[in-house]
């Protein structure tokens, strides 16, 4: 009989990184029940009632690995970061710390430091950022990468494609080109040849947004690649709805009959449209099958700075998007750079903002950083159901509301059945200890279900 290794308490020393799991025993599932998860070849093979004897060891596919006793912990699908900028990450110390940037100012600051950034610089910072993402529960990342106007335009592409291969088997990294309107067609074609996964650009910053959308969709159609465009990243809605990036994207997808996934990121203007203008736009987007990525922390930072009062929240219309049946993903966008000087690379920072600023329900906020994000990125579903990829996040079995608010720090992160991060936290406080009743936490058996 295969022995079982205890996961241990949240304040014990981390010891699981690198372990390959055969089973996760006695863990609380998202629906509040307790079960054993059987893992075979990086996927959930079965979900069974907890049993002291555990799963059979006769299956030759399960000869190697650890049966993990996760009593006192709960499991969630691991998170996705659907929109990162690893080439920019962690450059905040290189800019004016006192600057408060809108989008245009942030672009200017980034372009000022970019000439001094080479491939090695990007590689080092990107890997350091990935460490932060993974430690906090993220196992899949889509990163956009600039095409600089000075120096080697593909140095960022080369750095991140190489990082993708270095991380393969532990982290899923999608490299999305972020080609400005000034990027020549030949450079875009070369980026495709060097191995980008997704075609992208910034039509809302181009002199002719329609031309830029058409150019990127042409590239994607020619090479069979998915598309992810920065779209409508402004709050002004004084122009006609037909001039919106997302409308143009949806109309072209329908006209072309594109089969590959097309994603519109940001979509801030949708949050400023009144219902009578918003509803037909969302109906069109739903018909075209577009996914939408909302990025609360960065858009809250960048948008609305020119308002003298009642500044817009700078978020897309998350509630109406979900109600329209459109796939919604949520992420943080930038990480400590000119576009966002803050950020923790933490999916629960995003869920907290979706609940407080976006007024989503807890289950909806959780889905936006897990299952919804996987759908938008075109990834196999990860989670706790049979057939799911065993990308999992284990957290202490306390009130899940605390987890979604970002209060917890102890996390065990699993990618395709392999533990890629184990973080434990030990604190010492000179304060009275609260009882369970005083803390307001319900017993685990009374915990609500967060499954949508």
């Amino acid at each position: 009989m295969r022995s079982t290794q205890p996961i241990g308490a949240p304040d014990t020393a981390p010891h699981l990184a690198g372990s390959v799991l055969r089973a996760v025993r006695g863990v609380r599932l998202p629906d509040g029940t307790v079960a054993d998860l059987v893992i075979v070849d990086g996927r959930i093979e079965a979900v069974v009632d907890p049993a002291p004897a555990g799963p059979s060891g006769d299956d030759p596919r399960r000869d190697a690995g650890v049966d993990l006793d996760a009593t006192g912990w709960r499991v969630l699908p691991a998170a996705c970061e659907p929109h990162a900028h690893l080439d920019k990450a962690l450059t905040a110390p290189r800019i004016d710390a006192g600057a408060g940037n809108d989008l245009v100012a942030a672009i200017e600051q980034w372009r000022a430091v970019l000439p001094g950034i080479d491939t090695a610089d990007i590689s080092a910072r990107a890997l350091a950022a990935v460490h932060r993402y993974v430690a906090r529960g993220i196992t899949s990342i889509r990163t956009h990468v600039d095409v600089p106007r000075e120096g080697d335009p593909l140095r960022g592409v080369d750095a991140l494609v190489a990082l993708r291969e270095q991380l393969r088997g532990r982290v899923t990294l999608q490299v999305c080109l972020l080609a400005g309107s000034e990027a020549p067609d030949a450079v875009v074609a070369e980026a495709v040849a060097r191995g980008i996964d997704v075609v992208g650009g910034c039509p809302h910053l181009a002199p002719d947004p329609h031309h830029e959308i058409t150019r990127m969709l042409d590239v994607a159609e020619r090479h069979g690649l998915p598309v992810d465009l920065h779209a409508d990243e402004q709050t002004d809605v004084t122009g006609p709805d037909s001039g919106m990036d997302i409308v143009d994207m949806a109309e072209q997808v329908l006209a072309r009959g594109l089969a590959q996934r097309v994603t519109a990121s940001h979509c801030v203007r949708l949050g400023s449209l009144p219902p009578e203008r918003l509803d037909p736009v969302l109906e069109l987007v739903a018909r075209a099958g577009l996914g939408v990525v909302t990025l609360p922390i960065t858009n809250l930072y960048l948008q609305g700075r020119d308002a003298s009062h009642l500044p817009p929240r700078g978020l897309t219309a998350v509630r109406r998007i979900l109600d329209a049946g459109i796939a919604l993903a949520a992420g943080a966008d930038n990480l400590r750079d000119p576009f966002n000087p803050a950020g923790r690379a933490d999916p629960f920072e995003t869920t907290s903002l979706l609940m407080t600023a976006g007024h989503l329900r807890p289950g909806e906020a959780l889905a936006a950083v897990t299952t919804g994000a996987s759908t938008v990125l075109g990834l196999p579903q990860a989670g706790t159901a049979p057939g799911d990829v065993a990308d999992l996040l284990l957290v202490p079995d306390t009130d899940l509301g605390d987890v979604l608010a970002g209060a917890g720090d102890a996390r065990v992160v699993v990618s395709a059945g392999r533990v890629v991060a184990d973080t434990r936290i030990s604190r010492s406080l000179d304060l009275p200890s609260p009882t369970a009743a005083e803390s307001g936490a319900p017993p685990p058996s009374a915990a609500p279900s967060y499954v949508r």
Side-chain angles (χ1 to χ4, degrees):
M1 183 63 62
R2 177 74 61 173
S3 62
T4 300
Q5 179 176 349
I7 192 170
D11 59 354
T12 57
H15 58 283
L16 294 171
S19 300
V20 176
L21 303 184
R22 295 162 31 107
V24 181
R25 296 172 172 270
V27 70
R28 189 171 302 282
L29 302 180
D31 66 1
T33 61
V34 175
D36 289 356
L37 301 178
V38 181
I39 301 172
V40 174
D41 295 334
R43 290 184 177 270
I44 304 299
E45 174 86 352
V47 182
V48 299
D49 291 337
S56 170
D58 297 336
D59 188 338
R61 296 174 301 167
R62 303 185 63 251
D63 282 346
V66 173
D67 286 2
L68 187 65
D69 180 359
T71 303
W73 292 69
R74 66 165 67 233
V75 65
L76 302 170
C80 298
E81 174 49 71
H83 189 114
H85 290 267
L86 293 180
D87 57 335
K88 300 180 176 74
L90 308 179
T91 55
R94 307 182 192 188
I95 66 171
D96 178 7
N101 289 339
D102 60 12
L103 180 59
V104 173
I107 291 171
E108 291 174 350
Q109 283 199 335
W110 169 241
R111 287 178 173 170
V113 301
L114 188 52
I117 291 175
D118 59 14
T119 302
D121 186 347
I122 293 170
S123 299
R125 285 184 292 99
L127 182 56
V130 168
H131 279 230
R132 298 191 187 193
Y133 285 117
V134 173
R136 289 163 174 82
I138 292 169
T139 57
S140 301
I141 302 167
R142 174 177 288 180
T143 179
H144 297 255
V145 56
D146 279 18
V147 178
R149 294 184 292 185
E150 298 178 5
D152 178 4
L154 296 177
R155 59 189 184 271
V157 168
D158 290 342
L160 296 183
V161 167
L163 180 61
R164 179 190 65 199
E165 300 310 309
Q166 184 181 352
L167 296 172
R168 192 176 294 278
R170 290 175 171 82
V171 179
T172 298
L173 185 63
Q174 294 182 345
V175 180
C176 178
L177 187 68
L178 181 55
S181 58
E182 69 280 358
D185 290 346
V187 171
V188 174
E190 182 61 23
V192 173
R194 295 193 189 189
I196 61 166
D197 302 290
V198 186
V199 175
C202 268
H204 64 284
L205 297 176
D208 184 348
H210 172 73
H211 175 270
E212 201 59 20
I213 292 169
T214 301
R215 183 168 79 121
M216 290 302 126
L217 290 178
D218 285 346
V219 173
E221 191 169 22
R222 191 157 53 245
H223 297 282
L225 292 173
V227 183
D228 189 340
L229 298 178
H230 288 55
D232 297 302
E233 197 178 354
Q234 61 268 89
T235 58
D236 175 48
V237 292
T238 56
D241 296 345
S242 59
M244 295 182 66
D245 302 328
I246 196 169
V247 170
D248 192 345
M249 291 170 64
E251 289 176 344
Q252 290 208 44
V253 166
L254 289 169
R256 294 166 182 256
L258 282 183
Q260 59 262 51
R261 293 181 179 273
V262 178
T263 302
S265 289
H266 294 288
C267 304
V268 174
R269 292 174 71 191
L270 296 182
S272 298
L273 289 177
E276 64 273 14
R277 293 178 61 186
L278 177 62
D279 289 347
V281 172
L282 294 183
E283 189 277 333
L284 175 67
V285 171
R287 252 191 318 122
L290 269 62
V292 173
V293 177
T294 185
L295 303 156
I297 187 170
T298 295
N299 282 139
L300 286 168
Y301 173 73
L302 292 174
Q303 300 294 327
R305 289 182 176 269
D306 56 348
S308 62
H309 62 288
L310 292 177
R313 294 189 176 200
L315 299 180
T316 193
V318 289
R319 161 58 50 213
R320 303 295 288 272
I321 287 169
L322 287 177
D323 290 347
I326 297 166
L328 177 70
D333 198 357
N334 298 80
L335 174 64
R336 301 227 57 241
D337 65 22
F339 299 80
N340 175 17
R344 301 193 302 267
D346 190 339
F348 300 127
E349 181 175 52
T350 299
T351 55
S352 175
L353 288 169
L354 288 174
M355 291 187 290
T356 56
H359 297 166
L360 292 189
R361 293 183 283 269
E364 294 167 334
L366 177 61
V369 301
T370 55
T371 55
S374 294
T375 296
V376 171
L377 268 58
L379 297 173
Q381 283 298 323
T384 59
D388 285 352
V389 176
D391 278 21
L392 307 171
L393 172 58
L394 295 161
V395 295
D397 190 10
T398 57
D399 174 42
L400 191 53
D402 271 350
V403 177
L404 297 180
D409 295 308
R411 303 175 193 185
V412 175
V413 186
V414 180
S415 176
R418 179 190 182 97
V419 178
V420 290
D422 183 358
T423 301
R424 312 299 175 99
I425 299 295
S426 181
R427 290 191 177 94
S428 177
L429 281 75
D430 184 22
L431 293 171
S433 298
T435 65
E438 289 169 342
S439 70
S445 60
S449 170
Y450 285 80
V451 175
R452 295 181 62 207

